[in-house]
Amino acid sequence: TRKVFIFLPGNPGLVDFYLTMLRRLFEREKGNVWICAIGHAGHSEHCHDHDAKPISYQEQIQWKENFIKHEFGEWIYNAGVEVIVSGHSVGARMQLEVIKHFPNVNFVEYLGLCPTVMNIADSPNGRNATPHLASPWKRWLAFWIVRILAIITYPIPDFIKHPIVKFVMRRDSPLLDDHFVQYGSKLVNEYIIRNVLHMAHDEMCEIRDVEPFREIISTLKERIVFVLSPRDKWCCNNIVAQMRESFPEATFKVLSDNVPHAFCLSHDHIEEIISHIDFKK
């Protein structure tokens, strides 16, 4: 039997923020589990097209499907292959879509980390963000602000740019580790921000109930695991209550009080997160 772990990030969809966690998992399993992380199209400095239109949420799902077909081919359908899927934030909802698109793959476990799998627009952060994301001119304004910042900061040496980016990132993530600032710097690109905001807008509109995944829910049952943060304003108590109704046989685990939604921006929480990722089931 060969185990494969496929991970999808939140939004922004830079895999870089999760590399430490994924390396620790690989080391813990002594290389016996193949680990694959798939970022979001257009969220990296290496894969965006300046002339293309913004990439939608549904196109992101298609990107994941195409990537899996291209990289794994027919091999992933083998009876001896066991696939564990996991996602952080919106990546958790996307993984339900992935399972739906590959009905003949042997998915043995689903793991949602601080998941935004349903009714994200009804969360405290969702209610705050939706009016801004729904406004085309505000998204256009953000594009041009970031474009100007990118032009201004391009000639600035990294030792000056680094503390500026760190200050901005710490406004939303006070526990940010210095190590992750280098990845945040990659987001100072107007085309990346355009895709990030466009996808976020789609999330607010499209991530509602989980009726399309009813068959998956009834098949995986207790092998659906949600790992929750008590302080998560994207997946609040009301939404968790709805999740418990919609996923009646799922396993719900709760992290320590100090673990934020954006756990990936600090090394302090990595060990606790990976303790909930069990490949031995």
Side-chain angles (χ1 to χ4, degrees), residues 14-276:
L14 278 179
V15 171
D16 308 58
F17 289 121
Y18 304 88
L19 289 178
T20 303
M21 179 189 80
L22 297 171
R23 287 194 187 104
R24 283 288 298 110
L25 275 174
F26 190 74
E27 292 165 0
R28 189 191 72 182
E29 299 302 316
K30 298 180 171 56
N32 293 320
V33 176
W34 290 3
I35 295 179
C36 171
I38 310 172
H40 301 328
H43 288 211
S44 165
E45 59 184 340
H46 302 298
C47 63
H48 57 79
D49 184 346
H50 295 186
D51 299 321
K53 63 182 180 63
I55 302 170
S56 70
Y57 174 72
Q58 291 300 326
E59 288 170 330
Q60 293 288 357
I61 295 168
Q62 186 63 51
W63 162 262
K64 309 298 181 290
E65 180 182 355
N66 293 342
F67 182 94
I68 292 170
K69 287 178 178 178
H70 181 268
E71 294 298 320
F72 291 100
E74 294 298 317
W75 178 85
I76 201 167
Y77 296 100
N78 292 344
V81 176
E82 295 182 347
V83 181
I84 305 105
V85 294
S86 178
H88 173 219
S89 192
V90 67
R93 172 77 177 208
M94 285 183 160
Q95 287 290 27
L96 292 173
E97 298 278 5
V98 168
I99 296 173
K100 185 179 176 182
H101 281 83
F102 291 92
N104 297 320
V105 170
N106 182 25
F107 293 104
V108 297
E109 187 177 5
Y110 164 95
L111 182 71
L113 305 175
C114 301
T116 56
V117 294
M118 61 188 302
N119 299 330
I120 183 175
D122 297 334
S123 68
N125 281 356
R127 287 194 296 271
N128 290 333
T130 297
H132 303 292
L133 294 170
S135 171
W137 79 264
K138 287 185 178 180
R139 297 202 303 270
W140 176 87
L141 180 62
F143 172 90
W144 281 101
I145 288 174
V146 174
R147 183 166 194 169
I148 292 169
L149 286 173
I151 293 171
I152 293 173
T153 59
Y154 181 77
I156 296 177
D158 286 342
F159 74 89
I160 297 177
K161 189 186 304 183
H162 185 93
I164 297 173
V165 174
K166 183 176 180 179
F167 172 78
V168 174
M169 292 179 69
R170 278 200 165 166
R171 292 184 63 185
D172 290 327
S173 304
L175 299 177
L176 172 74
D177 282 352
D178 195 69
H179 170 80
F180 295 101
V181 177
Q182 59 180 315
Y183 306 134
S185 298
K186 297 179 180 180
L187 296 175
V188 186
N189 180 294
E190 63 271 30
Y191 297 99
I192 294 176
I193 292 300
R194 181 182 64 174
N195 285 320
V196 167
L197 295 178
H198 188 79
M199 177 176 160
H201 171 248
D202 286 354
E203 292 171 38
M204 299 304 134
C205 298
E206 297 182 35
I207 298 180
R208 305 306 301 177
D209 60 44
V210 291
E211 282 306 311
F213 313 113
R214 190 56 55 197
E215 184 176 348
I216 296 169
I217 294 169
S218 63
T219 300
L220 286 179
K221 298 180 179 178
E222 73 282 354
R223 289 177 292 157
I224 294 176
V225 180
F226 293 115
V227 180
L228 310 171
S229 165
R231 55 187 290 192
D232 196 339
K233 292 185 179 181
W234 288 108
C235 183
C236 60
N237 291 337
N238 288 343
I239 293 177
V240 171
Q242 295 169 17
M243 290 167 60
R244 290 184 182 276
E245 291 182 6
S246 298
F247 299 84
E249 297 182 77
T251 302
F252 289 82
K253 299 180 179 181
V254 181
L255 297 161
S256 302
D257 290 344
N258 65 330
V259 181
H261 179 83
F263 65 83
C264 54
L265 297 181
S266 172
H267 287 117
D268 293 347
H269 313 300
I270 289 176
E271 293 302 323
E272 182 174 358
I273 292 293
I274 66 174
S275 70
H276 294 293

